[in-house]
Amino acid sequence: MSEDGGGRPVLVGYDGSPAAEVALRWGVEEARLRGLPVTVCHAWHWPYPLRQPDEETLEILRGAGAIVADEGVRKAHALLTGEGVRRALAFGGDVEVRWCLERGWAAAVLLQASRNAELVVLGLRGHGGFEGLTVGSTAVQVASRADRPVVVVGADTPPARWESARIVVGVDGSPASEAALGFAFAEAALRDASLLAVCSWWDPAALPGPDRAPFVEPDRLRHEAIVRFDQAVTPWRAEYPKVPVESRFVVERPRHALLNAADGATLLVVGDRGIGSTPQTLLGPVTQTVLQQALCPVAVVPAPIG
């Protein structure tokens, strides 16, 4: 890994898979927008726990991993010098490309490296997954355990369209939701994007038969939820006055509301665990669903520690 300097990097998990290629493109653009270095990270390991390899075999595996890491670095440089990258160097100078090659399982290596990173970018499903698996285990483990934002990018994600960039953020009043709001506003400012803040309120009185909640006042609860939603968004509007913002309060299940709102979006931002999730939960159910089904990159933002 190259020497430290120039700020905390954007960490990109790279294994040569189609999703990793797109994640690399996204990570390079994030680094340029933020004026930060980009670190291309690759993990290698011996996959057979019942048999210990000799040193020669380990060296061969490490060499193969170094080839993959070097390929990622070369492609990062190509993205930085290519004419198709946005606003060539308009954000203040060259972007330093670093590399990280470590022995271990991908999730563990990325989580360790993320401690010194600004954010993490990785593919939805890399090499080693199973056909038909929507989200790889590495994406879930890193997104659920990292203490900084993780952007998960699918292999079929198209390049961002800057002339119509739109970011969507889910708001539910949880600590992670507040952190997601801040990340979404900052990202919208970086990308000159509009921002859509979505709060989904599910009316308990709308539930059928015996599942209907007793002794509730749906109108009062709905009004209180709208007020809290507005109170959550207002401070961020003041901090980022140039970001065009729309607030949308909908009576719909959260996962459906976010997926519908994110159709055609540049990025969907959610907290790692929303209201009702326990600390033992890897990811909240809404976050798990949008990772699996959203047609755009998803940023998973953790709640502040402490």
Side-chain angles (χ1 to χ4, degrees):
M1 188 170 180
S2 67
E3 295 181 2
D4 191 30
R8 297 195 305 178
V10 174
L11 179 70
V12 180
Y14 184 81
D15 64 359
S17 65
E21 300 286 350
V22 184
L24 183 65
R25 184 179 67 204
W26 186 278
V28 165
E29 190 61 29
E30 282 283 354
R32 166 164 285 155
L33 289 170
R34 296 168 180 267
L36 295 174
V38 59
T39 295
V40 179
C41 183
H42 179 71
W44 65 277
H45 67 277
W46 174 252
Y48 308 110
L50 298 181
R51 178 183 175 188
Q52 294 301 314
D54 55 34
E55 289 300 320
E56 182 179 357
T57 300
L58 287 177
E59 191 59 33
I60 292 172
L61 287 174
R62 186 188 184 283
I67 291 173
V68 176
D70 183 66
E71 177 187 74
V73 170
R74 287 190 301 102
K75 290 184 176 181
H77 280 295
L79 287 167
L80 287 165
T81 57
E83 294 181 0
V85 180
R86 190 207 184 203
R87 301 179 184 178
L89 301 181
F91 290 86
D94 295 317
V95 172
E96 178 189 358
V97 180
R98 308 169 179 176
W99 63 280
C100 172
L101 176 65
E102 297 290 344
R103 181 182 177 182
W105 295 97
V109 168
L110 286 168
L111 285 168
Q112 178 65 31
S114 73
R115 296 177 180 178
N116 298 315
E118 185 71 16
L119 74 155
V120 183
V121 184
L122 68 162
L124 193 65
R125 184 167 71 91
H127 286 316
F130 298 95
E131 289 301 322
L133 184 64
T134 309
V135 184
S137 61
T138 297
V140 172
Q141 291 181 55
V142 175
S144 63
R145 292 188 168 93
D147 60 0
R148 58 213 60 235
V150 176
V151 179
V152 181
V153 186
D156 55 353
T157 299
R161 296 191 304 167
W162 297 98
E163 69 279 6
S164 59
R166 181 171 64 91
I167 293 174
V168 177
V169 58
V171 183
D172 68 358
S174 65
S177 161
E178 178 68 15
L181 261 175
F183 180 87
F185 267 91
E187 193 74 13
L190 286 172
R191 295 178 176 270
D192 293 334
S194 63
L195 179 64
L196 172 60
V198 178
C199 179
S200 174
W201 183 80
W202 188 241
D203 184 354
L207 294 173
D211 292 327
R212 181 177 300 169
F215 307 115
V216 297
E217 301 176 48
D219 291 339
R220 179 179 62 83
L221 292 176
R222 184 173 186 272
H223 174 73
E224 291 176 356
I226 292 173
V227 170
R228 290 196 298 270
F229 177 37
D230 183 65
Q231 290 173 340
V233 176
T234 296
W236 295 107
R237 287 182 185 267
E239 186 167 342
Y240 293 92
K242 294 184 180 180
V243 173
V245 184
E246 176 189 352
S247 296
R248 182 180 298 175
F249 186 90
V250 296
V251 181
E252 188 178 6
R253 292 192 182 275
R255 64 195 68 187
H256 298 151
L258 289 175
L259 290 171
N260 290 335
D263 186 19
T266 304
L267 178 69
L268 172 60
V269 184
V270 293
D272 56 355
R273 299 170 188 85
I275 289 177
S277 298
T278 66
Q280 291 74 32
T281 304
L282 279 180
L283 287 173
V286 174
T287 301
Q288 290 187 50
T289 298
V290 299
L291 273 178
Q292 293 170 358
Q293 299 181 22
L295 300 179
C296 67
V298 177
V300 180
V301 184
I305 298 176

